């Protein structure tokens, strides 16, 4: 768990630096809790040791969701290119709707094709970021436009290290990583972040992560 702890610390450092300079959201981020807590997670949701560590030690802060029916989540900005939303643990059941549980209204029925060990923890443009809770380290997968999910990180720790790399790169570009004329990711930004991403994740996983985030 020390690897995950170090990865989250590095991620939090880059997230906070970015938000202080360029962030668009207030009180809508991942925060370290003052003390670990016992999380209320629906008993139908399988939770790996890594996910339990994340949710017990870190809060998905969303001030605008307080006192409402809104799904509480934390926003993670990667410059002007992408914003991921990480669901709070008490809302993980709702986060699985359309994936593990399907239907227009309650009672929802369980999908016959969705692996029960797969838990959607976040989304980007309505595409899911998924943790395989049955494998040590909690590998992370991403699905694009309803396609077959592809592995983007061999562990939850590697995912947060990858996000730290991407956010740090966005800071170097003043938060502006999208070309205003072409609406594509700036080649110079990709040239900066791709080498460390490949070294961390491997060529194939790094490519899948960039595709998931619409960098390519």
């Amino acid at each position: 768990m020390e690897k995950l702890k170090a990865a989250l610390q590095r991620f939090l450092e880059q997230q906070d630096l970015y938000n202080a300079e360029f962030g668009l959201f207030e009180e809508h981020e991942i925060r370290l809790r003052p003390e670990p807590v016992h999380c209320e997670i629906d008993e139908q949701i399988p939770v790996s040791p890594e996910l339990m560590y994340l949710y017990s030690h870190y809060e998905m802060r969303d001030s605008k969701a307080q006192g409402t029916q809104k799904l509480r989540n934390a926003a993670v900005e990667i410059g002007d290119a992408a914003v991921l939303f990480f669901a709070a643990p008490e809302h993980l059941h709702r986060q699985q709707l359309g994936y593990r549980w399907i239907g227009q209204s309650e009672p929802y029925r369980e999908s016959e094709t969705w692996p029960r060990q797969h838990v959607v923890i976040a989304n980007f443009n309505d595409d899911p970021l998924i943790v395989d809770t049955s494998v040590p380290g909690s590998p992370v997968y991403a699905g694009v436009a309803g396609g077959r999910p592809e592995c983007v990180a061999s562990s939850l720790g590697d995912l947060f290290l990858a996000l730290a790399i991407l956010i740090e790169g966005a800071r170097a570009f003043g938060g502006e990583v999208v070309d205003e004329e072409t609406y594509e990711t700036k080649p110079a930004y990709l040239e900066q972040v791709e080498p460390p991403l490949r070294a961390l994740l491997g060529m194939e996983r790094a490519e899948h992560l960039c595709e998931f985030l619409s960098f390519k």
Side-chain angles (χ1 to χ4, degrees):
M1 211 59 67
E2 288 302 313
K3 179 181 177 181
L4 176 58
K5 179 180 179 181
L8 283 163
Q9 288 174 339
R10 183 178 174 193
F11 160 77
L12 208 66
E13 175 185 89
Q14 292 304 320
Q15 173 200 250
D16 291 351
L17 287 170
Y18 182 88
N19 286 346
E21 296 179 72
F22 315 109
L24 299 175
F25 304 95
E26 293 185 6
E27 298 183 9
H28 190 26
E29 70 280 300
I30 298 176
R31 301 293 329 145
L32 178 66
R33 298 182 187 275
E35 297 290 340
V37 301
H38 174 73
C39 298
E40 296 182 7
I41 300 176
D42 189 291
E43 62 182 11
Q44 299 175 86
I45 306 291
V47 182
S48 65
E50 290 78 16
L51 278 183
M52 185 58 71
Y53 180 87
L54 170 66
Y55 294 132
S56 62
H57 288 75
Y58 292 82
E59 176 189 4
M60 308 298 131
R61 182 181 293 183
D62 187 354
S63 60
K64 292 185 177 180
Q66 298 295 335
T68 73
Q69 296 299 311
K70 177 181 181 291
L71 190 154
R72 189 156 66 91
N73 54 46
V76 174
E77 294 181 65
I78 304 175
D80 55 357
V83 181
L84 292 89
F85 293 96
F86 283 78
E90 64 270 25
H91 288 166
L92 279 179
H93 185 282
R94 289 174 61 184
Q95 184 70 81
Q96 311 314 303
L97 297 181
Y99 302 106
R100 180 175 171 184
W101 287 290
I102 54 179
Q104 297 300 316
S105 60
E106 296 188 60
Y108 301 105
R109 66 183 188 278
E110 190 160 0
S111 169
E112 296 179 355
T113 58
W114 185 265
R116 288 190 175 187
Q117 71 273 18
H118 283 189
V119 176
V120 180
I121 63 168
N123 61 71
F124 168 64
N125 285 349
D126 294 326
D127 288 328
L129 199 62
I130 305 157
V131 165
D132 185 341
T133 59
S134 67
V135 178
S138 298
V140 183
Y141 292 76
V144 179
R148 182 173 68 90
E150 300 285 356
C151 188
V152 297
S154 61
S155 69
L156 190 62
D158 280 356
L159 172 71
F160 279 101
L161 284 175
L163 293 177
I165 290 169
L166 293 169
I167 295 170
E168 185 175 17
R171 285 181 52 228
F173 281 76
E176 299 178 357
V177 302
V178 175
D179 188 290
E180 293 183 356
E181 294 183 359
T182 65
Y183 299 103
E184 296 180 351
T185 307
K186 293 178 179 177
Y189 173 73
L190 292 175
E191 289 173 3
Q192 177 169 321
V193 300
E194 282 185 326
L197 282 181
R198 289 168 179 166
L200 171 68
L201 305 173
M203 182 76 73
E204 189 172 348
R205 294 188 186 98
E207 190 72 17
H208 289 319
L209 181 60
C210 288
E211 290 174 356
F212 171 67
L213 295 171
S214 300
F215 288 164
K216 293 186 173 182

